[in-house]
Amino acid sequence: MGSPKAAKSMVKQRIWRHRLVAPFAAVLVTAVLAVVVFSGLFAQDPNATPEFTAVNVGNTRPVRDKSEFTAASGSPNKEDLATSASDQELDDGNSEPNQASQGTVPAAGEGGTATAVPAQRERSTGGSEPEEKQSFPQDQEGEETTAKSGLVQYTTCTPRTRTTICDLSNQRFDICELCGNARTIGRSSTVMYVPQSLTSNGEEWNIPAQSRKSLPWIKKVTVKTLKASQQVPRCTSRHAIPAIVFALGGFTANVWHDVSDVLVPLFLTAQQFDRDVQLLITNNQPWFIKKYSAIFHRLTRHNIIDFDADDEVRCYPHVIVGLRSHRDLGIDPNSTPQNYTMMDFRLFVREAYGLPAPEVDIPYRADKDDPEKKPRIMLIDRGKTRRFMNMPDVLRGLDWFGFEVVRADPRIDSTLDEFVRLVDSCDAMMGVHGAGLTNMVFLRSGAVVVHIVPYGVEFMANGFYGAPARDMGLRHVQYSISPDESTLLEKYGENHMVIKDPEAIRNSGWEKVGELYMTKQDVVLNMTRFGPSLLKAIEFIV
């Protein structure tokens, strides 16, 4: 990358050029605008339209060719979780995933069936009015119904005719959508559809109620259409809102899987209802709801039902069983009627935690009045596998390049609410390929993800973090280490297949890839070779 002095000089010149030029540019623009306004060059006709229309870049969805979404990416599986225990790190700052469930468990409603989302202050970046508490009307049988509300009125879906209510064709997920007369019976894990015209032949499906249907241990829900010979179960609770029945479990407790397998699919499935939807969860895990309570609060204004413990027969006009999913940590806008994107998801998450609005720039550029301010980078310090073995050298190198370093230690004692604010205060995030990089979802638009790829796993790097980062409106800098920077070289020698032929190891199956490249490998980062990647990150920031 040239001499160290030249590189450092270039970094300083760029930073100071940004600091010195910006104020003069602002003064010049102000002066020009003043001259234009007072010279009457702007249209005075109230019906006149400007030649140019301002665009809010922070809210603009990235437009991508459909072909970009067809590229296959490596999918994590059971071996990934089993052999990479350190990927259970950096969720809310605790090293053990189950710590989130210790202490106070979300309160259960009457009969132990309704789990209230922990109280959240109504957060908003736009100054919206607080919601008023609703009173629910009674139906003709005296049963409580849930009132419709929200900015967008919910339109009841149209009951299907001559088509099945369940779709099992997708390789990632199964889903059933019941429009009209649907009844949930939690104790038997059953959702029953009462068609307008009963026939002698009913249908039945067993649906893995999560986005990763290939996992055999995902809790299943039975979906049935009522036959003419069957008695219709009497409603004990009527609701005028839609409901979604889905399962927790699977690979949850790993932050990558928390987001990719549950939170993104739940956003895809529930966000369309503008919080007027009830969530019924089978295989309920209170720690998960508590940990991500801010997100659940932004998805629904209603109680969350523990489906397995629910004694009610609940009647809804619309029930969805299962969660939609497009790909690992990704959304295909062409596959959603609402054209949702991963940028929409990131902005939704930031709004849920009350982080600055989309138009607020990254911290370094937002604070232009401090000439001593440095770009701030969060360094993810993995605790068990794929660690930096020369951490002091890495820290000195980052400081030399002009960064203020914030180390994210998976063992720190902080809440997720505190941690997301720490991420938001950074201009960049840097770490070795692993679940901790999923926390990029809390970064601001235009922030940088510096992704260090261990030897032998380049094939999965883009699918796991590169494409998701770009789709979220973030900058992605990928650095693939050389064999000299891997501890595998010392362990196996340069003539071993692990070093000479990673492709052969990959072809032998995921189990070997997980064992050798994901679990047994650590990183000795060559800061000289790594330097150009840091310069690229600085270019994106300043």
Side-chain angles (χ1 to χ4, degrees), residues 166-183:
C166 292
D167 182 0
L168 315 184
S169 63
N170 193 285
Q171 64 178 356
R172 296 184 64 88
F173 66 93
D174 292 337
I175 198 157
C176 301
E177 189 158 6
L178 292 66
C179 293
N181 190 345
R183 307 183 180 214

Side-chain angles (χ1 to χ4, degrees), residues 50 89 149 291 294 340 367 370 379-380 410 420 448 516 529 535:
E89 40 94 358
S149 60
K291 175 180 174 181
Y340 291 137
D367 185 7
D370 183 3
L379 179 61
I380 297 176
V420 300
V448 183
L516 295 171
R529 184 175 182 268
L535 288 177

Side-chain angles (χ1 to χ4, degrees), residues 310-479:
D310 191 18
D311 291 322
E312 303 280 354
V313 176
R314 299 179 182 273
C315 294
Y316 297 94
H318 184 185
V319 174
I320 297 173
V321 181
L323 296 176
R324 294 185 175 91
S325 176
H326 299 157
R327 60 178 180 272
D328 291 334
L329 200 60
I331 294 174
D332 178 2
N334 298 316
S335 298
T336 65
Q338 299 79 15
N339 300 118
Y340 291 137
T341 67
M342 281 301 288
M343 180 180 284
D344 292 323
F345 175 74
R346 182 180 59 81
L347 296 179
F348 161 80
V349 169
R350 288 180 56 82
E351 181 183 7
Y353 286 98
L355 299 177
E359 59 270 18
V360 178
D361 212 337
I362 59 175
Y364 179 78
R365 292 200 295 260
D367 185 7
K368 299 177 181 178
D369 298 328
D370 183 3
E372 300 298 323
K373 186 177 179 65
K374 296 180 178 181
R376 201 174 198 212
I377 190 167
M378 172 172 282
L379 179 61
I380 297 176
D381 187 6
R382 296 179 58 87
K384 296 179 181 178
T385 63
R386 284 162 276 150
R387 300 166 297 172
F388 290 117
M389 300 305 292
N390 60 332
M391 181 60 79
D393 294 335
V394 174
L395 293 173
R396 280 193 297 269
L398 290 171
D399 178 71
W400 186 89
F401 274 93
F403 284 102
E404 176 191 351
V405 182
V406 177
R407 289 182 67 176
D409 189 334
R411 294 160 293 185
I412 62 175
D413 184 17
S414 66
T415 66
L416 182 57
D417 198 71
E418 294 169 341
F419 181 72
V420 300
R421 280 157 179 73
L422 184 62
V423 176
D424 173 70
S425 72
C426 296
D427 305 288
M429 175 179 289
M430 170 180 157
V432 180
H433 183 97
L437 286 175
T438 313
N439 292 287
M440 64 185 174
V441 72
F442 305 119
L443 289 169
R444 300 185 190 183
S445 297
V448 183
V449 178
V450 182
H451 178 194
I452 298 170
V453 183
Y455 188 69
V457 299
E458 293 87 350
F459 70 94
M460 68 174 73
N462 186 65
F464 272 57
Y465 299 107
R470 292 188 294 272
D471 291 345
M472 290 183 200
L474 306 173
R475 304 286 196 166
H476 179 251
V477 177
Q478 179 174 318
Y479 174 76

Side-chain angles (χ1 to χ4, degrees), residues 100-119:
S101 64
Q102 295 174 1
T104 305
V105 177
E110 185 176 352
T113 60
T115 302
V117 178

